[in-house]
Amino acid sequence: MVPITHYLILALLMFSIGVVGVIVRRNAIVVFMCIELMLNSVNLTFVAFSKQWGNLDGQIAVFFVMVVAAAEAAIGLAIILSVFRAGQSIETSDAAELKF
Amino acid sequence: MNQAAISATIWPIAFFPLLGALLAYVLGRKERDWAGIIATAASALSFLWVVKLVWALPEAHYFEDQLFQWISLADLKVDFTFRVDQLSAVMCMVVTGVGTLIHLYSTAYMHEDEGRHRFFAYLNLFMFSMLLLVLGGNLMVLFIGWEGVGLCSYLLIGFWFKNLAYAAAGRKAFVVNRIGDAGFLLGIFLLLHLVGTTDFVALQPAIMSGNVALGTDFYTLVALCLFVGACGKSAQIPLFVWLPDAMAGPTPVSALIHAATMVTAGVYMLARMGFLFVLAPAALAVVLVVAVATAFVAATTALTQYDIKKVLAYSTVSQLGFMFMAAAAGAFWVAIFHVVTHAFFKACLFLGAGSVIHGCHHEQDMRHMGGLYKKMPITCITYGVSVLAIAGIFFFSGYQSKHAILGALEHWHNPHLKEWIEYILILVKFTAFLTAFYMTRSFVMTFLGEYRGHAHPHESPWPMTVPLIVLAVLGAFGGLALSGSLGFSLEHYLAALNFGAAAEHHHESIAAALINSWTGLLGVGLAFVMYTQLKELPGMFLRLVPPLSKLLSGKYYFDELYGAIIVRPLEGLAAFLWKVVDQGMIDGMVNGTAAFVDATGELRRITQTGQLRYYALMLFGATVFFIIFYYVL
Amino acid sequence: MELMILVAKVIVALFLVALHLAAFCTWVERKGSALIQDRIGANRSAAYVQTDNLLLKPVAFFLRIMGGLGVINTLVNDAVKAILKEDFVPAGVPKFVHALAPFLAVFPIFLAYAVVPMAPDFEAFGQVIRLQVASLDAGVLFLFAMGSVSVYGVAMAGWSGNNKFSLLGALRASAQMISYELAMGISLVTVILVYGTLDLYEMVNAQGKLWGICYQPLTFLILFTVGMAETKRGPFDLPESESELVAGYFTEYSGMKFLVFWLGEFAEIGLFALLLTILFFGGWNIPFFTYPSNHWIWAIVGFHVLLLKVVFFCVLQIVIRWTLPRFRYDQLMDLGWKILLPLSMLNLVFYAALKLSGGIG
Amino acid sequence: MAVTFYLMAVLLLLSAVAVITFKNPIYSALALVFNLFVVAGLFATLDAHFIAAVQVVVYAGAIMVLVMFVLMLLSAKLEKASPFSPLYFGAALICGLAFAVTLGLEFDSGFNSAPPASDLQGTVAAVGKVLYSRYVFPFEAASLLLMAAIAGAVVLARRRYRTKEL
């Protein structure tokens, strides 16, 4: 079996990639996807720990993360659609009017 | 009150005026004339209910109507109870009876005023509060009524609130009353704390048994506290200054509130708590001194007034002093007797004055009146009868009650002031003489001689004259009817108020009575002569003693005195608090906080780029920083 | 040995069942539609095959029969034509996605065949063999997952066509599939609830006495309707309605790639028929008959019983497709969201209550 | 087994990098779908079968379909390419690396590299038992959350007033 540490490092790397994506990308949907990336890496650690300690609570947590992700997708995409309707753009840098 | 309770339906007495107030306001907004009719009807219904109850009230019993439990806090239980005993019955009769007449009078007096729906609503609300006051079975309910009448008084004094001076008069009445109420509340709280109840039925045996930790000192303290309240409400020195100003209200209001009913609430309260006062002779002595001083000061001030309502106002203050004298002597029934007769003739006087003012198109200065007996005969006759009554001429009602007061003072058995009572009696008699003098003066200046004004006086319509006639008749014969001569004795009726004081009966002949009314006769005669024949004499007299005349026309400079020692410093303090503490410190702190936030906000604004990824960068950068900070450093 | 059994299973599932069903459906589509429309249909291929060789005469005869029935036309001619045709790729198209899409559309469907049991267990080579490639604990869940993944092929095909018809077709298709997936999921949950298991083999076993259709007819109706919509056929073929969108999301496909879509579609019909049979029609069970042993003979009998039922449902779907007129798009959405979804929810509540009260299971 | 894991790990990282590097968001989405499948596979290697299936159904089957749908809806109008910002790229890279390194340092101290000891199986029945007993209230709360999200999405996406046509 693969030691848990490897899973964790894998998740860490994936999370970091997600972080970089959130910062670098300006397309709101891509930013959204990068957040999904980060969520998934966290899910991976949950399941890995769950296996490590023989405890299903980690998998339950993943289940709830997925619920939240689904809700987030529904609302987030609706917001992105609204933003697009308002400004004909889903670039995050274009939606910078509410800054002061 | 060692009497038996009978449960009865009392609440409608107070309920009618309350409903009337609501209806008069709501319906009166649509149709102004309905307000007067509704209010008068409500008042009359209330009167009828009172008559019905009083008729059925057996001797040595009282009616009780326990509505609901009002306050329930741990050991403190206060019921909302109405009681009608003999004392309440007398007061209710006066309040609703005189009140109804004045309502009727007002429908004519106010018929041109735009806000009369408001007026009648206030008037009925006042009736409600006053009935609450006299019906209340404990001090707490009484206090609601007490505050209620104060509120209505304020509202009605300032009824023409667009006139700033009137509004200020209302405010003055309110503020001065607050000072008295503070004392009253202290008294109530002391009773609650030390006796645990304010219910009169429970209070009386508790007080009289003497099982109170602090003994007589406590009685004196509580009695004085309550008397402070009475001083405020009933316009005694030092809190009388509001009453003359209260004449700013419409004249029916002056008649009802500031002559017949509300201002006698203090007397009623003293009578109600009589069992406490008789156990505190020192307090009674204080009451006597204050009462005599008030009566004398007010009477002398009234001598120099030219405003007809002001004369009546000072007269009221003076008569209230007489009532308190009776109470101070322990003869509470006499005090109530004078309350009743005073209600009759003073209401009549005020309404007569109102009739004159109405007839002369809102002229109040007696120097611009005169000769009105031709134009307003009914008003003239009723006013004259009432003047004779207040002057204390036998057989008019004023004689009966004043004679009883003097009789009570002659039997002063209080250890305090025992040696001074002779001199006090002389002063009181002199005051009675002054009363007759200035009232005759006002009558002569108003009705006799030649008309000096420019308006076209006319007699008032029937809704105004009918109450005048009724009240004049009552003022003439009421005293006799209540004194026992006609088979009904108020003294006997109010026997429960006799707390061991010596009740002396002295039947006198008519001749003796006429002789006994010499002070009144002297005053009336002197004034009549001075103001009809020797018109220069009063002026000469005043010029002879310039400081005195100045003192009198300046109303003893009470207002100025209070202004200097209380109002001015308070204003200074308020100005300090306003300018320095509020504007300087508190506003400074608030504005400074805002300015600080504003300034730092300007700085923070630079970091708000609106770029999502910038925020994300900051977020993760900070996370990295803290991880490094925690693990590496 | 293990590996060989696995390979055998895959061959059975993929070639014997999936591809055969697809082929059969294609033929029924062609010839059956002709029957319904009172045409003759394809009948010319191999019509003139003649031979003098006596040995080959029966073969030629067979070919002529097959040609007359249109089988050769459908399975050989069309396939050859498609393979030989130019694989035209429009300009300005993301080539990778364009090429990937058909396979993404087909892949999950064939993958789904892996978890479907095809016959009762039997004993061979000294062990009990179950004719099911992957005996998953959550078989139904896997089916559902594959169903939802198959949207990608459609969506990518439509998007990569760089053509507004195909894009519109793809949007319609994915919206339709997402919408009907809800009712499908809830109905599947109802079925799971009733049988108390997610294992398809266990479900078939549970119907040994009484077929599922007898006590959950509404669930069957809902699932059948949803299945028709998920395959984007029958009256639900709006994503590829010829009169509006040319050919919908595969407008820009030709040749082999088009054939793959075609194959996937018919494989999906077969899959749904298989699923309905297993969930509601007792799988390989025969009424009033229990398989006496797990001899391999009985496995073959069961397998054919199963196939018979599946064929029936395939034909039923195609007949419906050629009988009913097409929905309007708002009618389609109304049916999915306002009728089927609430109905399936009520259905679920009903069976849950029944289960709770001990009525079933 | 180990080989599968490392193969998956490589695919996972490659697809993750692809998500953030593709210019075309559709490609990013496809890469993410692949990534999610690989994650599901990783879940399967950890014996979390139920979670793996749910991962495919929910993430790949629902969320990403939604994303793709929106992308396809909008893609024709999104011609503008984001100009590359070296400043942000550098900052992000440093940030990500620092993140990885600093958290990675922690593994030295915290965990040994012993393989997982438990033989936990995340079957449907097992997860279901825990979910419907200990976590039944969070589960119900989650249903409320989803309901609110549906309502919110409907309200947000409905066209209340006519702006410029899409």
Side-chain angles (χ1 to χ4, degrees):
Chain A
M1 279 300 281
V2 182
I4 182 178
T5 326
H6 293 204
Y7 281 97
L8 295 180
I9 289 170
L10 181 62
L12 174 63
L13 289 175
M14 190 163 127
F15 190 89
S16 303
I17 293 168
V19 167
V20 172
V22 166
I23 296 170
V24 170
R25 296 305 298 261
R26 292 199 296 191
N27 186 317
I29 295 181
V30 178
V31 170
F32 173 83
M33 290 194 283
C34 291
I35 292 169
E36 297 296 326
L37 217 53
M38 287 152 72
L39 280 178
N40 266 287
S41 73
V42 173
N43 282 355
L44 194 55
T45 62
F46 267 127
V47 175
F49 278 121
S50 169
K51 180 73 181 173
Q52 175 78 8
W53 306 122
N55 188 338
L56 275 175
D57 290 352
Q59 298 191 18
I60 301 289
V62 173
F63 178 82
F64 285 117
V65 168
M66 284 179 189
V67 169
V68 172
E72 179 204 336
I75 295 291
L77 289 172
I79 289 174
I80 290 172
L81 266 181
S82 303
V83 168
F84 179 78
R85 267 184 215 145
Q88 297 296 309
S89 163
I90 53 170
E91 298 282 301
T92 58
S93 50
D94 288 343
E97 279 147 37
L98 208 64
K99 59 183 164 186
F100 293 136
Chain B
M1 276 196 254
N2 308 315
Q3 297 163 298
I6 307 170
S7 81
T9 313
I10 300 175
W11 60 266
I13 297 176
F15 172 73
F16 283 130
L18 183 63
L19 188 67
L22 284 173
L23 288 179
Y25 188 77
V26 174
L27 298 179
R29 280 158 60 106
K30 287 254 184 278
E31 188 58 62
R32 294 282 190 268
D33 285 338
W34 293 356
I37 297 165
I38 291 167
T40 311
S43 177
L45 277 174
S46 182
F47 176 65
L48 290 177
W49 200 279
V50 170
V51 169
K52 180 196 129 189
L53 274 182
V54 171
W55 197 260
L57 181 63
E59 206 171 315
H61 284 76
Y62 61 88
F63 288 135
E64 192 173 63
D65 190 356
Q66 204 146 342
L67 290 180
F68 52 89
Q69 192 168 54
W70 179 25
I71 298 171
S72 176
L73 286 171
D75 290 341
L76 175 64
K77 301 266 186 292
V78 179
D79 289 329
F80 204 95
T81 312
F82 285 156
R83 281 208 194 93
V84 176
D85 62 350
Q86 280 73 15
L87 176 59
S88 295
V90 171
M91 291 301 289
C92 279
M93 289 291 278
V94 171
V95 171
T96 55
V98 177
T100 306
L101 289 173
I102 293 175
H103 272 78
L104 179 63
Y105 177 92
S106 307
T107 54
Y109 189 83
M110 297 297 289
H111 78 278
E112 282 174 337
D113 197 284
E114 253 315 292
R116 56 189 182 280
H117 64 297
R118 210 157 44 84
F119 176 81
F120 282 108
Y122 292 164
L123 217 53
N124 256 12
L125 193 61
F126 166 77
M127 292 280 287
F128 165 71
S129 309
M130 190 69 203
L131 288 167
L132 221 57
L133 198 160
V134 297
L135 291 173
N138 54 48
L139 275 175
M140 304 289 250
V141 179
L142 186 147
F143 190 72
I144 312 177
W146 188 273
E147 291 298 318
V149 293
L151 169 71
C152 294
S153 162
Y154 160 75
L155 288 172
L156 285 164
I157 292 168
F159 179 70
W160 288 310
F161 54 84
K162 284 177 186 162
N163 184 324
L164 284 183
Y166 291 1
R171 205 162 56 234
K172 184 174 179 183
F174 205 73
V175 170
V176 174
N177 264 304
R178 285 285 77 66
I179 299 170
D181 292 346
F184 191 25
L185 265 182
L186 276 181
I188 294 177
F189 290 156
L190 273 174
L191 277 176
L192 268 183
H193 183 60
L194 293 167
V195 186
T197 178
T198 61
D199 193 290
F200 302 127
V201 174
L203 206 50
Q204 182 168 355
I207 294 285
M208 292 180 102
S209 68
N211 281 340
V212 177
L214 297 173
T216 9
D217 293 340
F218 163 70
Y219 294 151
T220 310
L221 185 65
V222 174
L224 283 177
C225 281
L226 295 180
F227 181 61
V228 171
C231 271
K233 195 57 79 187
S234 295
Q236 298 297 296
I237 287 178
L239 300 177
F240 78 103
V241 288
W242 64 273
L243 189 55
D245 286 2
M247 293 305 122
T251 311
V253 170
S254 310
L256 179 63
I257 299 183
H258 305 122
T261 54
M262 185 190 86
V263 288
T264 62
V267 183
Y268 165 77
M269 197 261 288
L270 243 63
R272 182 54 87 196
M273 299 299 293
F275 53 82
L276 174 70
F277 278 87
V278 291
L279 296 177
L284 281 181
V286 173
V287 173
L288 182 70
V289 171
V290 168
V292 172
T294 309
F296 180 73
V297 166
T300 45
T301 312
L303 287 176
T304 56
Q305 296 298 313
Y306 290 108
D307 184 326
I308 186 166
K309 284 183 74 180
K310 283 276 163 71
V311 174
L312 293 175
Y314 280 106
S315 156
T316 305
V317 174
S318 174
Q319 296 303 311
L320 287 168
F322 276 92
M323 296 170 202
F324 277 106
M325 284 176 213
F332 296 105
W333 80 270
V334 177
I336 297 300
F337 189 18
H338 197 56
V339 165
V340 176
T341 56
H342 176 256
F344 293 154
F345 57 68
K346 186 51 65 64
C348 184
L349 287 170
F350 261 115
L351 294 186
S355 180
V356 170
I357 294 165
H358 188 254
C360 294
H361 304 282
H362 301 287
E363 177 57 71
Q364 296 198 1
D365 195 326
M366 292 192 292
R367 281 170 296 193
H368 299 136
M369 296 176 185
L372 294 178
Y373 68 95
K374 280 174 281 187
K375 307 277 177 52
M376 318 177 76
I378 299 173
T379 309
C380 171
I381 291 166
T382 53
Y383 196 92
V385 169
S386 300
V387 166
L388 291 178
I390 194 174
I393 310 291
F394 180 75
F395 63 96
F396 295 98
S397 58
Y399 166 75
Q400 312 290 346
S401 50
K402 269 195 197 167
H403 187 65
I405 291 168
L406 288 174
L409 282 180
E410 276 165 11
H411 291 94
W412 181 262
H413 50 273
N414 194 326
H416 304 277
L417 292 177
K418 192 104 188 166
E419 54 277 23
W420 295 90
I421 198 70
E422 303 292 323
Y423 309 104
I424 289 172
L425 260 176
I426 292 169
L427 191 62
V428 169
K429 282 178 180 167
F430 181 63
T431 309
F433 157 74
L434 286 178
T435 307
F437 184 86
Y438 65 74
M439 284 316 297
T440 311
R441 167 179 173 266
S442 79
F443 177 75
V444 171
M445 285 183 77
T446 307
F447 292 102
L448 301 184
E450 292 302 315
Y451 183 60
R452 299 178 290 271
H454 307 287
H456 299 282
H458 55 84
E459 183 58 277
S460 302
W462 71 265
M464 291 172 69
T465 51
V466 167
L468 281 175
I469 295 166
V470 174
L471 285 170
V473 170
L474 285 172
F477 302 104
L480 207 59
L482 294 175
S483 67
S485 310
L486 300 177
F488 176 82
S489 167
L490 190 66
E491 178 179 11
H492 185 63
Y493 191 68
L494 294 178
L497 287 183
N498 204 339
F499 304 103
E504 294 226 359
H505 280 277
H506 39 275
H507 290 282
E508 47 181 3
S509 62
I510 293 174
L514 276 173
I515 294 165
N516 278 335
S517 56
W518 64 270
T519 46
L521 286 170
L522 185 66
V524 171
L526 202 61
F528 196 78
V529 172
M530 271 175 76
Y531 285 92
T532 51
Q533 308 302 320
L534 311 164
K535 286 179 187 168
E536 288 77 29
L537 202 60
M540 272 171 58
F541 189 72
L542 283 177
R543 274 196 298 281
L544 270 177
V545 220
L548 182 64
S549 68
K550 249 188 156 169
L551 188 65
L552 292 186
S553 56
K555 306 167 197 173
Y556 289 87
Y557 298 104
F558 267 103
D559 285 337
E560 288 73 7
L561 184 69
Y562 290 168
I565 63 171
I566 297 172
V567 179
R568 208 71 56 72
L570 271 179
E571 278 178 353
L573 181 65
F576 171 77
L577 289 175
W578 168 33
K579 296 272 188 202
V580 180
V581 177
D582 193 47
Q583 285 193 341
M585 288 159 65
I586 294 173
D587 284 5
M589 260 151 65
V590 173
N591 293 340
T593 312
F596 176 74
V597 171
D598 197 43
T600 48
E602 283 295 324
L603 277 176
R604 285 275 292 116
R605 210 172 117 153
I606 300 165
T607 63
Q608 298 282 309
T609 59
Q611 298 293 330
L612 186 69
R613 49 194 193 152
Y614 169 82
Y615 298 141
L617 184 63
M618 289 296 122
L619 186 66
F620 293 119
T623 314
V624 167
F625 172 78
F626 280 114
I627 293 168
I628 293 171
F629 187 78
Y630 186 75
Y631 288 115
V632 181
L633 298 186
Chain C
M1 195 70 211
E2 291 284 322
L3 196 66
M4 277 178 67
I5 292 173
L6 191 69
V7 169
K9 280 179 181 177
V10 171
I11 288 170
V12 167
L14 195 63
F15 291 98
L16 265 158
V17 180
L19 283 178
H20 266 83
L21 275 179
F24 174 73
C25 286
T26 317
W27 174 68
V28 174
E29 175 95 352
R30 281 306 203 64
K31 204 66 181 173
S33 71
L35 211 63
I36 287 167
Q37 292 172 342
D38 204 11
R39 293 185 276 114
I40 295 172
N43 67 345
R44 296 302 164 90
S45 300
Y48 307 109
V49 174
Q50 296 283 348
T51 178
D52 295 332
N53 188 332
L54 206 63
L55 273 176
L56 289 177
K57 264 198 191 289
V59 177
F61 179 71
F62 177 75
L63 282 176
R64 278 210 299 283
I65 294 289
M66 286 291 123
L69 288 173
V71 175
I72 292 178
N73 187 299
T74 326
L75 298 187
V76 182
N77 298 11
D78 283 1
V80 170
K81 179 193 82 173
I83 291 166
L84 292 181
K85 235 177 165 178
E86 182 195 0
D87 181 17
F88 180 76
V89 180
V93 152
K95 291 206 173 50
F96 177 69
V97 179
H98 188 262
L100 189 64
F103 298 99
L104 270 189
V106 170
F107 185 64
I109 291 165
F110 283 115
L111 210 57
Y113 275 93
V115 296
V116 183
M118 308 281 185
D121 292 353
F122 61 97
E123 240 179 295
F125 313 112
Q127 56 180 312
V128 176
I129 294 171
R130 176 172 295 180
L131 201 53
Q132 184 182 20
V133 177
S135 180
L136 276 191
D137 160 57
V140 179
L141 214 57
F142 184 81
L143 275 179
F144 187 63
M146 286 305 117
S148 46
V149 166
S150 65
V151 183
Y152 286 109
V154 174
M156 280 161 67
W159 175 74
S160 65
N162 199 13
N163 173 328
K164 67 180 69 163
F165 292 127
S166 51
L167 184 63
L168 279 175
L171 282 175
R172 275 187 183 187
S174 34
Q176 177 176 335
M177 288 168 90
I178 294 170
S179 304
Y180 280 79
E181 230 163 59
L182 291 168
M184 180 169 85
I186 293 173
S187 297
L188 283 179
V189 168
T190 314
V191 173
I192 293 166
L193 189 77
V194 169
Y195 294 133
T197 175
L198 281 95
D199 192 330
L200 289 167
Y201 191 86
E202 291 299 315
M203 287 186 182
V204 174
N205 273 356
Q207 298 173 76
K209 291 267 179 335
L210 196 63
W211 289 0
I213 179 71
C214 299
Y215 47 93
Q216 34 187 344
L218 186 63
T219 322
F220 164 73
L221 270 180
I222 295 171
L223 259 185
F224 186 70
T225 318
V226 167
M228 300 279 290
E230 282 286 317
T231 49
K232 304 174 284 299
R233 284 176 54 83
F236 303 100
D237 57 349
L238 284 136
E240 48 200 272
S241 53
E242 305 88 342
S243 49
E244 299 164 23
L245 298 176
V246 188
Y249 52 88
F250 43 73
T251 302
E252 295 293 352
Y253 283 91
S254 61
M256 191 59 207
K257 288 177 190 156
F258 179 76
L259 195 67
V260 169
F261 272 119
W262 194 245
L263 196 66
E265 197 171 309
F266 286 110
E268 205 177 354
I269 294 173
L271 179 65
F272 255 102
L274 199 54
L275 192 61
L276 289 173
T277 309
I278 282 175
L279 292 183
F280 298 104
F281 287 86
W284 49 81
N285 282 319
I286 308 167
F288 313 116
F289 177 80
T290 31
Y291 291 104
S293 70
N294 49 7
H295 195 268
W296 56 270
I297 287 285
W298 293 118
I300 291 174
V301 171
F303 179 66
H304 283 92
V305 168
L306 180 78
L307 275 189
L308 203 64
K309 294 175 183 174
V310 171
V311 162
F312 169 75
F313 279 109
C314 288
V315 173
L316 185 64
Q317 286 187 61
I318 291 165
V319 167
I320 288 174
R321 180 244 191 276
W322 285 104
T323 311
L324 292 181
R326 190 179 291 142
F327 278 112
R328 237 175 32 226
Y329 198 69
D330 60 319
Q331 289 170 334
L332 175 92
M333 283 292 155
D334 279 359
L335 181 68
W337 287 99
K338 294 184 185 167
I339 297 173
L340 287 181
L341 181 60
L343 205 62
S344 57
M345 279 180 177
L346 283 178
N347 194 35
L348 172 62
V349 171
F350 173 74
Y351 282 107
L354 211 61
K355 182 106 182 174
L356 213 58
S357 64
I360 48 167
Chain D
M1 212 56 205
V3 177
T4 337
F5 170 77
Y6 291 116
L7 187 66
M8 279 182 173
V10 170
L11 287 175
L12 189 75
L13 292 180
L14 280 180
S15 61
V17 170
V19 169
I20 67 167
T21 47
F22 273 132
K23 272 235 171 67
N24 191 328
I26 299 252
Y27 286 155
S28 292
L30 287 175
L32 184 58
V33 172
F34 184 75
N35 181 282
L36 294 174
F37 272 107
V38 178
V39 171
L42 282 172
F43 286 166
T45 65
L46 289 164
D47 293 329
H49 306 297
F50 174 71
I51 291 296
V54 172
Q55 168 88 3
V56 173
V57 172
V58 174
Y59 261 120
I63 296 178
M64 288 316 292
V65 169
L66 213 57
V67 171
M68 290 277 280
F69 196 85
V70 172
L71 276 174
M72 277 157 53
L73 207 63
L74 302 179
S75 65
K77 280 101 185 170
L78 293 175
E79 297 301 330
K80 203 171 95 182
S82 321
F84 183 73
S85 163
L87 180 70
Y88 273 107
F89 187 75
L93 218 55
I94 290 166
C95 191
L97 277 178
F99 213 85
V101 169
T102 47
L103 271 183
L105 286 174
E106 177 63 6
F107 290 140
D108 282 345
S109 53
F111 307 98
N112 55 25
S113 44
S118 75
D119 53 348
L120 183 83
Q121 296 290 321
T123 59
V124 180
V127 175
K129 273 200 186 99
V130 181
L131 192 60
Y132 285 102
S133 54
R134 239 181 54 226
Y135 291 95
V136 67
F137 284 113
F139 183 74
E140 293 298 325
S143 72
L144 271 182
L145 175 74
L146 283 175
M147 180 64 92
I150 291 168
V154 168
V155 169
L156 278 172
R158 194 181 52 191
R159 217 172 295 189
R160 249 156 307 176
Y161 30 79
R162 294 195 67 79
T163 52
K164 269 177 272 175
E165 277 298 309
L166 269 178

